[in-house]
Every structure is written in structure tokens, then in C-alpha cells.
Amino acid sequence: MNYDLGSTPFVGASPDFLHFVNLCEQVRVTKSKNMKVGLLSRYLSSMDDKSLITAVLFLSSRIFPLGSKFVINVGFSTIMQILSEISFLDKDQIHQNYLQYGDMGALAEYATSKKHTVSLTQQQPLTLHVVYEGFKKIAGITGSDSSKVKKNILKGLFLDCSPLEAKYLTKIINGEMRIGLTEGLVEVGVALAFNVEHGKIREAMLVSGDISQIALLAKRGLLYTAVIKPFQPIGYMLADVMFGADEIVNYFQKSLICEYKYDGIRAQMHKFGQQVKIFSRNMTDITDAFPELVDAAINSKLSSSMESIDFILDGEIMAIRNDKPLHFQELQKRLRRKNVTGQIIAEVPVVYAVFDIALIDGEQTIMKPLKQRKEILSRIFFKKPIVNTKHNVVNTAQEIIAKFDESRDIGYEGLVLKEPESQYHPGKRGRYWIKLKRELDTIDAVIVIAEYGHGKRAGVLSDYTFAVRDENNDNQLRIIGKAYSGLTDKEIDTITKQLRSIMIKDNGYGIVVKPELILEISFDSIQKSDRHDSGFALRFPRIKNIRCDKNIKDIDTLQKVRRIYENQTYLNAK
Ligand code: AMP
């Protein structure tokens, strides 16, 4: 592919935040992907190290590098409050404008243009580095009045911003740049900026997963040094979905590795020396919730020599008693505990089912084919409750169906079929792993509106309108239904508190919330409908789980909804 470098206007690579936001605007209004990449590469090519790191993170809709312990946790309502404090707009006007623009970035731009307060401290233009350090400060604040302190730091940043800078500051905080750049395109921009093959960037991304580190290595000509590092989680390889054994067999036309699909939480375990860390799907450190897994990891050995080993594992933690999987919510109970006592460990026993390995004793294994990684895993003697997942090789649709039924009989969700020759692709959803579930799959959607219930549920927010993202339209949220069954009273109480903390607007009968809380929804079928802006509606939706382990980036797409819709006749006929 040729990327257009010549005809695009040069933006300049100063560390100023204003230059960065000007670049973003140019990228946003440029339709052609080649030209977007061209703009980007010229901008990145002459940046200093610190600004480069920050720019690629922000452009990839990230604030901190993958695996960083920092999270800024600033809600819509805090930003709205700041905007009303620094401008001539009162709270109501801010809400009205938000409803009019439907976009926090645009609202911030407008409100900042009506600023009545100016910064007393700002002497120089805002730089990328100052913005990044501000975010880091906000993320590091804890304690009783942390929200007040966070708000003050952020307010300082907004005061230093021009309207356009405020727009992008808000977009960065919300993790949605919406300028038509994916992390993949940023990778191409980095490759072009530093004159390296895109393939080399991809390879390095495979081991690091951190675009900011890779950009810096590319700049220094050190891409070959990109390695997986202890206690720095790598992105998870993700599975695609297919809707029947025949579809899978027809697609692959070869033997596949077949495993049960466990209903727990994805976890990555790093063990180096006597230290162990466990990371959740969104890369948070959940080690403290599972002391028995830490103990088991330290006591796992190489079967041949019984020597201690270092490793990075991928697998699923699930609650299990007497060989029967417990409901996913039992596990959530344990995750919520600050202090995991012996009693809780006994009440909710867990198993860590390991299905992949990224590193063993200093050697990276992600480039090796899956069947070899499985062989490596089989050489490790795991101490319980860590176990190696059982796997089989299947060739025919009949074999897949038999395994599927076996999995469902035990109480698991279905199967994951894996291509034996495939490498481990961190952070990518591809057709190397395929999940197969009998029910019409589930949809991960985000709550956008919550309404008060009736009867014994009056006063609590028990009816939820939820949305998926429209991947063809800047990931805008599209509503696909409303659900009010599936949760216990206790869960509704908890979720009501959480929803109130992310409220954007009070409608009286309910509230509009910042899209943050993810629900896993099961349903009977999907219908076309003009009731919702997605054009679809779920029939008989039920809340299967509250997915605290997922965030807005993990919600399903309108394309998935469409695919389920198109495939359901086939499934119903089975
Ligand atoms: P979903 O969350 O529906 O996209 O399904 C994919 C998830 O299934 C993964 O992220 C894992 O958490 C989980 N899973 C359960 N069993 C397996 C398995 N054997 N291999 C891979 N993923 C699995």
C-alpha cells in the first residue's frame, strides 16, 4: 500500500498540546486512510521522546501504556461540574448543551469558549508532557477527599486549555478520540515515521502490546529488543464466534484443538522467582483476591526435574466446588472482597485452568505454534488449584457436537476451538480461536439509561437501557434493548449506587449515565425494530452477569448483532 506523504500539509512536531490537537483535527477531517497515516508519520517523525510516547498513546485512545497501574477514573459529572465552574454556563445549560451536542468533547469546546476565569499560573503553552503528568497526578491520588483534589488538578488543566484543546482533553479522558484512527493505523504511522517495515512493528507489538514503547524503540532502531517483561501484562488473545459445528469444519478444513469454554474470568499469571502477580482481563492486578493461586504457582515445577520455573500463563479462573462450576456471580463476590480470608477461600473455591503460555524460563513462546505451546504446558507440574486444561483434537462436526454436549453436561458454556498452528496474538480477536455456544451467544452491552422500578423495586434503579457500538460510525453507541430481569435485589442495590455515581442527567423517572457499566445479556432472538437507533431489538433480554472485568472497549459491535440476527434462523433449525 502507498501512503501519501507528499501532498499533505506539514503540521510541525513541537511538543505543544495545541500542535497535537491541530494534528488530530486534520486527521479527523481527512477521509483517506493513506493521507491520515501520512499526516501522522510526518508529525511523529521529528518528536522528542517524551512527546512521542504521549502522542501515540493519546492517538490510540489510551492515556497510560497497556498494563500500567494508573487509571484516572474521572466521571462525566466531574467534567461537567468543572465546565460549569470555569464558564458562564450554569449546570442546566451544560446539560442542555450536552444533549444538543451529544458529545462531551464538543460540549467542552463550547463551554471553554465561554470561559470567565483565566489561569493565573500559566506562562507557557500547554505541552503534551504537562497534560500527561497532570493525568498521572490525578491517577495517583487516593484518600478521602481524592475526588476534590482530582477535580482541582483537572480544572487547572481545563483553565490552561483553548477551546480546541479542551475538546481533545475531554476526548482523551473518555478514551475515545473518534478521529478515524485505529491502533493499527497508528502502528503504520510509526513504521512510516521511522522508516521501518510495518511487519517489524507488528512483530514487536506482538510481544510488547504497548504502542508507546514500540514507537520509542522504532525511533531508536531498537525494535529487535522488544520483549515480554516480567509483571507487565501482555494483551489477551481473543476468540471469534461461529454458530455451528458445520460452519467451523467448513471454514478450517483441518484438525482443531478443542477445549471447554469455562465460565469464569480471564487471568494472566506472571511468576518470576518467588513473586507472583495475577492480572484480570482489563489488566488490573487481582493477585490479592487469590492467595491460594499465588501459593500454587510458587510450588509449580518442571515435571522432569521438579525444579522451580518462571512463566507467564493465560487461562480462566472459575469458582468450582466438587468438580461442578459455580455461578459466575460467586466469583464476583470474591473479587469484591478487600480481605480474602480462609473462610472465603473455603466458601468460594477456585481453579485456575491454564490454556496457554507466553513465556517459560526467559524464553518467549508466543511465536511458537499452539500445539508446541500445549506441549510445553504438559511438561509443567502445576500444583492445585492450578490445572492444565484438558484438550482434544477434533476433525468432524460430529466430534465437535459430542464435545459440546459433554461440556454443557458438566455445566460449562460450550467450546473454544483453536487452530493448532497459530501463534499467540496478544490483544487481537481473530479466527484462530473460535467460541461455540448453543444459546444465541450473549451480548456485552453498556448501560446508558437506568430507570426506577415499581413495587418493591421503587426507589432503586432496576430497568436498564443498554447499547452496543457501531464500528462503522466512529463507535457511536446504539441502543439495542432494555432489560429488568436477571439480577438479585442485592445486586440491584449495588448497581444503583454505581449508576448514581456516574449520572449525567436526572430525568426524574430515571437517569442518563456515563457509558461505563457493562452487562452480559442473554436473549431468545434478535428482531429488526425501529424502536431503537440500532435498528434491532433483543427479544426477552435477561441480564446474565454484571461484567466488572470488562470496560467500554470490550462491548460488542452492531456487526455482531447483525451476524447473530442473520444466523439465528440457521440455529433455530438445529
Ligand atoms: P467471550 O467473553 O464470550 O468473548 O468469550 C471469550 C472468553 O472465553 C475468553 O476471553 C476467556 O475468558 C473465556 N474462555 C473460557 N474458556 C476458554 C478457553 N478454553 N480458551 C480461551 N478462552 C476461554
Side-chain angles (χ1 to χ4, degrees), residues 59-130:
L59 288 163
S60 313
S61 295
R62 294 183 185 281
I63 301 179
F64 302 114
L66 192 75
S68 152
K69 60 181 191 309
F70 293 122
V71 207
I72 67 166
N73 256 340
V74 171
F76 268 25
S77 50
T78 307
I79 298 178
M80 286 183 159
Q81 224 174 326
I82 293 174
L83 293 176
S84 112
E85 282 174 19
I86 63 172
S87 72
F88 287 104
L89 306 173
D90 63 26
K91 269 189 173 164
D92 275 349
Q93 287 167 310
I94 292 276
H95 274 139
Q96 279 312 318
N97 277 293
Y98 175 68
L99 293 181
Q100 183 192 335
Y101 290 112
D103 176 83
M104 282 295 282
L107 167 67
E109 184 176 14
Y110 175 72
T112 319
S113 73
K114 305 273 173 235
K115 221 165 26 177
H116 55 53
T117 313
V118 287
S119 167
L120 297 176
T121 50
Q122 187 178 23
Q123 281 151 13
Q124 281 165 349
L126 207 51
T127 61
L128 276 165
H129 183 58
V130 168

Side-chain angles (χ1 to χ4, degrees), residues 259-262 266 281 316 418 435 437 550:
E259 293 167 359
Y260 296 146
K261 184 175 189 309
Y262 305 111
R266 189 79 176 264
R281 187 183 160 116
E316 189 94 350
K418 301 182 177 177
K435 52 191 174 184
K437 308 181 190 176
K550 295 196 173 181

